Amino acid sequence: MAPPTAIDIQSVTDTQVATISGPLSINGVSARRAKAPQIDGGLVARASSEMFKGPGHGKPQSKRWDHRLSEECKSRKPTAIKGVAKYLKNPGMISLGGGLPSSEYFPFERIDAKVPLPPHFSEEETKKTGIVTSAGKHDIAEGKSIFDIHVSLNYSPASGTAQMLRFVTEHTEIVHNPPYRDWECCLSVGSTSALDMAYRMFTSRGQYILSEEYTFATAVETATPMGVRVLGVRMDEQGLLPASMDALLSAWDPVARGAPKPFLLYTVPSGQNPTGATQSEQRRREIYRCAQKHDLYILEDEPYYFLQMQPYTGADAPAVPPPADHSAFLRSLVPSLLSMDVDGRVMRLDSFSKVIAPGSRVGWITASAQIVERFVRHQEVSTQNPSGISQLVLFKLLDEAWGHQGYLDWLINLRLEYTARRDGIVRACEEWLPREVASWNPPAAGMFHWIKVDWRKHPQAGSKSMLEIEDEVFHAGIERGVLYTKGSWFRAEADGGQDMFFRTTFAAASAEKITEAITRFGDALRAVFALE
């Protein structure tokens, strides 16, 4: 079939909003979609979460954040060229205005991918029983699908295609149901890109932002060239300590600090990188109350949210039964900060990187309409839109092949897989690491196991610094064929800290190799601390 001509271009308008009510459940998705405007799926079809979410009757409107936005952010205007896309919906419109190439010159006629059929998710089961999803160039025109190569591989709105935006909006409402009315989602090119944009939206050179005292190294490395300093807040086994954050902010002296009081908090509440700490529901509520007290804006970075695991019961104890159904699984998740956010003071960063594939480079943010609009203005002139190929493949997997039920089946499967991996590394530590110097808490989420080493028991602790001993332990592991990461590399303030930690991961290596690696780590510790 020849590609559609210019006159065939269709689009939906972003003013079409469904008349829908009530909280969304998995079983209610079909009925919700039946009442919502049909996704026409044309080129550059503008869409927003308002088309796909509930109306939010009884929920408050979000706060305004003009006083927290940077001058760079406030000065961004809609791009003139992208603004004319709204006219593409006009019947009979022949477009000579945009730089959209014809799909006739896209050298892809069909894209096929074999994917698991829930609940048979293993590689071997997928080979035998998996299904092939197929996307043709003109599936929309041929009535085969609402998404195809013709649309997905061209330019799309900065907020993402309507097809994927619908899925993540529904997913966000099912899982979090934000308690204010004007929340929206926007696709991103992964959380690292979204974090960079969020920093530019809220910070200016010379300011401080807050984070856990040990934090995602890229969060610091992104801020530093912007002239923004990261101030670490003390932690315990549940992550950031709200009392410490409150004390720090209450005593803030802008003259002594040489900077105004921080108002931006970056936090990874679940399976925190690098410590593996997971904030309890009570801890999250205390953090949110502190944010309200000091009028903080929160960046809730949650790549590991769905890697919350079964409780660790010990080497010889029976395993905790898995969730009985989707509802039980959702109830077992620690409520997110987004789900507590009555003010619209949280931007949640979600990603498919840890639950589908990092190479997809597709994620999404959820925030108030004001913040999402500003975020879109930034994406329009930087990343433009997430990968069209990735959006198409994810749509075929998540929406057409699995649906929300199948996606939750996949997430439950991941929980059990990661639980087994976590149990394996903890049991290896219990067997092979010297308890005289090594200690740990089994992680409840994520992919990292954080091990504390008592460097003060080193034979030369009186003459060597903690960082020197840390380096000695690190290279002793390298010499024995095992790689683990120095905890000091994750310090928010790059001061090394007073205690010694090492980050290990159980995400990729086989159970046998994890055990062997921990054995080598134990050998390195015994050699360095003269315990042999």
Side-chain angles (χ1 to χ4, degrees):
M1 174 182 174
T5 62
I7 203 169
D8 293 321
I9 293 175
Q10 295 179 332
S11 179
V12 295
T13 170
D14 57 346
T15 61
Q16 291 176 286
V17 180
T19 304
I20 42 187
S21 61
L24 184 62
S25 66
I26 294 175
N27 294 331
V29 170
S30 295
R32 168 75 64 84
R33 290 185 176 187
K35 296 178 181 179
Q38 182 179 358
I39 294 180
D40 221 341
L43 292 174
V44 203
R46 300 177 66 192
S48 77
S49 292
E50 287 297 324
M51 296 173 61
F52 312 120
K53 67 175 192 171
H57 294 314
K59 293 181 178 181
Q61 196 81 358
S62 68
K63 288 170 57 72
R64 296 283 302 180
W65 297 98
D66 306 77
H67 63 301
R68 295 308 195 200
L69 296 176
S70 67
E71 289 303 315
E72 175 187 345
C73 178
K74 288 188 285 188
S75 66
R76 292 192 183 277
K77 307 295 182 183
T79 61
I81 297 297
K82 289 181 173 60
V84 303
K86 63 185 178 182
Y87 298 112
L88 295 178
K89 71 180 186 297
N90 292 356
M93 178 64 66
I94 299 175
S95 176
L96 302 180
L100 280 67
S102 170
S103 62
E104 180 180 0
Y105 306 115
F106 298 169
F108 304 96
E109 182 60 30
R110 195 174 77 177
I111 297 174
D112 293 340
K114 191 171 186 178
V115 301
L117 180 66
H120 308 291
F121 292 117
S122 72
E123 287 187 341
E124 194 58 37
E125 288 176 312
T126 302
K127 289 178 183 177
K128 295 178 180 178
T129 66
I131 56 175
V132 176
T133 64
S134 181
K137 184 174 283 188
H138 303 299
D139 284 353
I140 297 174
E142 295 170 1
K144 296 178 180 178
S145 176
I146 62 169
F147 207 20
D148 61 13
I149 292 172
H150 168 71
V151 170
S152 65
L153 267 62
N154 221 308
Y155 292 106
S156 69
S159 55
T161 61
Q163 293 86 344
M164 275 304 298
L165 185 61
R166 178 179 69 175
F167 185 87
V168 301
T169 299
E170 293 167 345
H171 173 78
T172 298
E173 187 172 355
I174 289 168
V175 177
H176 307 288
N177 191 21
Y180 64 95
R181 186 182 310 147
D182 54 322
W183 64 272
E184 292 190 9
C185 297
C186 173
L187 294 191
S188 69
V189 187
S191 292
T192 301
S193 169
L195 180 62
D196 175 79
M197 294 186 196
Y199 281 174
R200 293 186 178 279
M201 288 173 62
F202 288 101
T203 67
S204 301
R205 186 168 292 274
Q207 291 182 344
Y208 278 99
I209 62 175
L210 303 170
S211 79
E212 290 90 351
E213 61 181 321
Y214 291 91
T215 190
F216 178 40
T218 299
V220 178
E221 293 161 352
T222 301
T224 301
M226 298 179 183
V228 175
R229 292 167 283 183
V230 181
L231 191 60
V233 179
R234 289 182 53 235
M235 305 173 68
D236 63 7
E237 68 280 357
Q238 288 189 34
L240 185 145
L241 288 163
S244 293
M245 182 167 67
D246 180 43
L248 186 156
L249 293 171
S250 296
W252 190 267
D253 183 342
V255 176
R257 292 280 189 175
K261 180 178 171 180
F263 61 82
L264 189 66
L265 169 63
Y266 170 78
T267 182
V268 182
S270 307
Q272 197 254 359
N273 184 2
T275 68
T278 296
Q279 298 167 10
S280 66
E281 178 179 356
Q282 180 61 29
R283 177 65 58 86
R284 296 180 199 216
R285 293 193 183 281
E286 291 170 356
I287 289 171
Y288 190 82
R289 283 195 292 269
C290 184
Q292 289 181 309
K293 176 181 177 180
H294 294 281
D295 198 23
L296 304 182
Y297 194 89
I298 302 173
L299 302 179
E300 180 186 25
D301 191 3
E302 278 283 38
Y304 313 105
Y305 185 74
F306 288 108
L307 299 186
Q308 295 181 45
M309 295 171 281
Q310 302 291 91
Y312 182 70
T313 55
D316 301 319
V320 175
D325 52 32
H326 297 140
S327 295
F329 172 65
L330 292 174
R331 288 194 304 270
S332 73
L333 299 170
V334 181
S336 63
L337 288 166
L338 176 64
S339 74
M340 306 171 184
D341 183 20
V342 295
D343 300 331
R345 67 173 65 250
V346 174
M347 177 193 288
R348 180 180 170 90
L349 283 63
D350 275 290
S351 173
F352 291 116
S353 291
K354 302 304 188 292
V355 295
I356 298 293
S360 70
R361 303 320 303 148
V362 176
W364 71 97
I365 68 159
T366 306
S368 66
Q370 179 196 15
I371 298 303
V372 168
E373 186 273 335
R374 292 290 85 196
F375 187 88
V376 169
R377 297 288 83 81
H378 192 151
Q379 282 209 140
E380 283 178 338
V381 294
S382 55
T383 57
Q384 292 216 25
N385 56 261
S387 162
I389 291 179
S390 292
Q391 291 189 72
L392 180 61
V393 171
L394 287 169
F395 172 81
K396 288 291 179 178
L397 172 69
L398 298 173
D399 198 290
E400 289 193 348
W402 286 357
H404 289 284
Q405 294 92 337
Y407 185 41
L408 290 187
D409 287 338
W410 170 254
L411 295 175
I412 292 170
N413 173 71
L414 280 184
R415 164 179 283 200
L416 301 180
E417 291 290 326
Y418 271 83
T419 296
R421 286 179 166 275
R422 184 275 316 274
D423 290 354
I425 198 170
V426 173
R427 288 167 186 165
C429 290
E430 291 172 349
E431 184 172 359
W432 297 107
L433 294 190
R435 293 296 189 99
E436 301 97 313
V437 296
S439 60
W440 56 87
N441 292 304
M447 54 179 58
F448 302 115
H449 186 35
W450 187 242
I451 299 171
K452 183 177 182 178
V453 175
D454 189 353
W455 66 274
R456 296 170 182 84
K457 293 183 179 179
H458 189 277
Q460 296 175 294
S463 58
K464 285 188 172 183
S465 68
M466 186 276 285
L467 292 177
E468 288 173 324
I469 297 172
E470 180 191 50
D471 192 61
E472 187 179 354
V473 174
F474 176 77
H475 283 96
I478 297 295
E479 292 168 3
R480 288 162 176 79
V482 59
L483 180 64
Y484 34 78
T485 311
K486 295 180 182 181
S488 63
W489 289 344
F490 300 97
R491 288 288 296 178
E493 297 177 62
D495 57 2
Q498 299 300 312
D499 294 316
M500 182 188 297
F501 297 93
F502 291 92
R503 191 193 74 173
T504 62
T505 179
F506 47 90
S510 67
E512 295 77 14
K513 289 186 176 181
I514 286 174
T515 298
E516 178 58 29
I518 294 299
T519 302
R520 296 176 185 180
F521 187 12
D523 291 343
L525 288 175
R526 289 182 182 90
V528 170
F529 285 83
L531 299 174
E532 297 178 317

